Amino acid sequence: MYLPFRKYIDEYSGDTMTDDEFALVKAAFTPKKIRKKQYLLQEGDVCKHLSFIIKGAMRQYTVDEKGNEHIVRFGIENWWMADRESFEFSTPTIYYIDALEDTELLQVSLANLTELKQTFPGMNKLTLALDKRGHIAAQKRITAAISLTAEEKYQNLFKIHPIFFQRFPQAMIASYLGISPETLSRIRKNSILK
Amino acid sequence: MYLPFRKYIDEYSGDTMTDDEFALVKAAFTPKKIRKKQYLLQEGDVCKHLSFIIKGAMRQYTVDEKGNEHIVRFGIENWWMADRESFEFSTPTIYYIDALEDTELLQVSLANLTELKQTFPGMNKLTLALDKRGHIAAQKRITAAISLTAEEKYQNLFKIHPIFFQRFPQAMIASYLGISPETLSRIRKNSILK
DNA sequence: TTTTATGCTTGATAAATATCAAGTGTATTT
DNA sequence: AAATACACTTGATATTTATCAAGCATAAAA
């Protein structure tokens, strides 16, 4: 179970860790399983853990006054899930996170992560790289959101994350794109890409 | 000119730097002035510098096939401007950055920044804090873009960055929000907030 | 196997927003 | 002072997208 995780860390920290270092990592993380539809986080909670997805899929979303869900992020194998703001600053979150499939996680608390970063520099490099990538990805998504039509948003997502379309219900993808499920259905009917 | 910059670094690194450290910082940065409407970056360029705004205002935007501009970011005093992706990976940018007012900058190259981070840990802390904040801000903007109506987007921006409305032409704010200038004008007419 | 839920599609209509075009006031330039 | 550009507004209309409602196929549950 930990093997792909070890590989993942090596890849993103740009280094090969020793067995001793990996022992530190293992000690800092706790495995957790959650079933499909279960919540990992609910509005008002403080996000206590950063979770690495070993297997499964999750989504992070808000619920507006009308009760509509707006999916902000999906997560699959080798992605991290957390509300960064709530996790870093211990403030109540406005998001929900739940499982779209039965999911296995490795979780680390802020305290353990902070300590791990000090004892194992690779972990520091990893979180740096993640922040950088996250920031760049977020910037791209903003650009898409303000400058593309519904159809272009669809095509863009299809290009960037085709896996989403194999893995998630179309209505959720519509929510992620900020368009209605009916509109996405009609766009797909007229689009070459499917 | 460097004084507010020194204060800014102390604030975000969470530490007070020594005069020696500040000498290192000063050596790494180069002052630059650019006039209103001049480009700092154009599509296809590699973004060679991270620029700190001492005085003035800038915008970062894309231009689509129809020639329409979409503003992705504004920058004012004490904000940083750069295309992170192009800067970090030396890839050609898809963005333009230009000055909305005569602007004074302090610029640092990737090489100098990397070295500075090593010789002065405070700079490392600063960039970390910036990434974290940037990431969180980007996440919020995505949430707003996919879940709010045009009017709600306006009210949200008015709450978060009221200064934008005093400083930038309304048409540019509309572009930033991803709505047409006419729509923003009509929204403001019917809104209490102004 | 019947029932129930889920995921998706389709049509009709409504609402939101963009586009086009003109006009006004104000600042800037000549 | 006249001319030009800029920023914004307003109206009319077109387009995009959402909403409402129904239907169909498939999967899951009873």
Side-chain angles (χ1 to χ4, degrees):
Chain A
M1 163 175 198
Y2 285 94
L3 221 86
F5 185 49
R6 181 167 181 171
K7 252 184 126 174
Y8 170 92
I9 298 175
D10 280 348
E11 187 183 338
Y12 282 95
S13 69
D15 231 328
T16 309
M17 74 181 102
T18 64
D19 287 348
D20 281 354
E21 284 170 335
F22 189 53
L24 288 174
V25 173
K26 267 178 82 166
F29 282 82
T30 312
K32 173 162 183 158
K33 291 189 185 194
I34 78 167
R35 290 210 177 277
K36 185 171 175 174
K37 294 194 179 177
Q38 268 193 329
Y39 290 110
L40 187 66
L41 187 74
Q42 292 183 72
E43 187 175 4
D45 291 351
V46 169
C47 183
K48 293 287 188 191
H49 298 94
L50 183 59
S51 302
F52 181 82
I53 303 177
I54 295 289
K55 186 159 181 25
M58 317 198 79
R59 61 175 178 157
Q60 175 179 352
Y61 60 99
T62 57
V63 178
D64 67 25
E65 331 76 52
K66 287 176 212 138
N68 295 321
E69 299 172 353
H70 303 278
I71 298 178
V72 175
R73 245 168 70 80
F74 287 114
I76 55 178
E77 286 79 12
N78 289 9
W79 292 39
W80 298 85
M81 292 299 283
D83 172 15
R84 276 297 299 278
E85 183 170 23
S86 175
F87 178 66
E88 301 272 5
F89 302 121
S90 293
T91 49
T93 185
I94 59 165
Y95 298 102
Y96 294 81
I97 296 178
D98 65 17
L100 300 176
E101 308 168 2
D102 292 355
T103 298
E104 292 174 40
L105 304 169
L106 287 175
Q107 295 192 306
V108 63
S109 68
L110 183 60
N112 283 348
L113 179 62
T114 307
E115 199 194 329
L116 182 58
K117 281 182 187 173
Q118 284 159 6
T119 52
F120 168 46
M123 197 66 198
N124 201 34
K125 281 197 204 162
L126 171 77
T127 54
L128 279 183
L130 280 181
D131 264 351
K132 195 185 290 180
R133 280 159 40 94
H135 191 178
I136 290 167
Q139 194 71 336
K140 284 187 177 165
R141 189 138 175 247
I142 290 169
T143 306
I146 65 167
S147 65
L148 302 184
T149 64
E151 170 144 23
E152 291 167 335
K153 283 176 194 169
Y154 160 68
Q155 285 165 352
N156 181 247
L157 183 62
F158 196 93
K159 203 172 66 193
I160 300 176
H161 295 303
I163 188 75
F164 285 4
F165 291 86
Q166 289 159 37
R167 200 128 176 209
F168 306 128
Q170 200 167 295
M172 287 195 187
I173 292 175
S175 167
Y176 180 86
L177 291 173
I179 64 181
S180 72
E182 294 92 339
T183 295
L184 180 55
S185 172
R186 286 185 251 260
I187 284 171
R188 278 169 66 85
K189 192 172 66 165
N190 299 323
S191 174
I192 314 119
L193 308 169
K194 252 157 218 162
Chain B
M1 164 177 199
Y2 287 94
L3 223 87
F5 184 50
R6 181 169 183 169
K7 250 183 130 175
Y8 170 91
I9 298 174
D10 280 348
E11 187 183 338
Y12 282 95
S13 71
D15 230 329
T16 307
M17 74 181 103
T18 65
D19 288 348
D20 282 353
E21 284 169 335
F22 188 53
L24 288 175
V25 173
K26 265 179 84 166
F29 282 82
T30 313
K32 173 162 182 159
K33 291 191 183 190
I34 77 169
R35 290 212 178 276
K36 183 171 176 174
K37 294 195 179 174
Q38 268 193 327
Y39 291 111
L40 188 66
L41 186 74
Q42 292 184 72
E43 186 175 4
D45 291 351
V46 170
C47 183
K48 294 287 189 192
H49 298 95
L50 183 60
S51 302
F52 181 82
I53 302 177
I54 295 289
K55 183 155 182 30
M58 316 198 79
R59 62 176 178 156
Q60 176 180 352
Y61 60 99
T62 58
V63 178
D64 66 25
E65 331 77 52
K66 287 175 211 138
N68 295 320
E69 298 173 352
H70 303 279
I71 297 177
V72 174
R73 246 168 70 79
F74 286 115
I76 56 177
E77 285 80 12
N78 290 9
W79 292 40
W80 298 84
M81 292 300 282
D83 172 15
R84 275 300 297 277
E85 183 170 22
S86 174
F87 178 68
E88 301 273 3
F89 301 122
S90 293
T91 50
T93 184
I94 59 165
Y95 298 102
Y96 294 81
I97 297 179
D98 64 18
L100 300 176
E101 307 168 2
D102 291 355
T103 298
E104 293 174 40
L105 303 169
L106 287 175
Q107 296 191 307
V108 63
S109 68
L110 183 58
N112 283 348
L113 179 62
T114 306
E115 199 195 328
L116 182 59
K117 280 182 187 175
Q118 283 160 7
T119 52
F120 169 45
M123 198 65 197
N124 201 35
K125 281 197 205 161
L126 171 77
T127 54
L128 280 182
L130 280 181
D131 265 351
K132 195 186 290 181
R133 281 160 40 95
H135 192 177
I136 290 167
Q139 194 71 336
K140 283 189 178 166
R141 189 138 174 245
I142 290 168
T143 306
I146 65 169
S147 65
L148 302 184
T149 63
E151 169 144 21
E152 289 167 337
K153 284 175 194 168
Y154 160 67
Q155 284 165 352
N156 181 247
L157 183 62
F158 196 94
K159 205 172 66 192
I160 299 176
H161 296 303
I163 189 73
F164 285 5
F165 292 86
Q166 289 159 37
R167 200 124 177 213
F168 307 129
Q170 201 167 294
M172 289 196 187
I173 292 175
S175 167
Y176 180 86
L177 291 173
I179 64 181
S180 73
E182 294 93 337
T183 295
L184 180 55
S185 173
R186 286 185 250 262
I187 284 170
R188 278 170 66 86
K189 192 172 66 165
N190 299 323
S191 174
I192 313 120
L193 308 168
K194 254 157 220 165

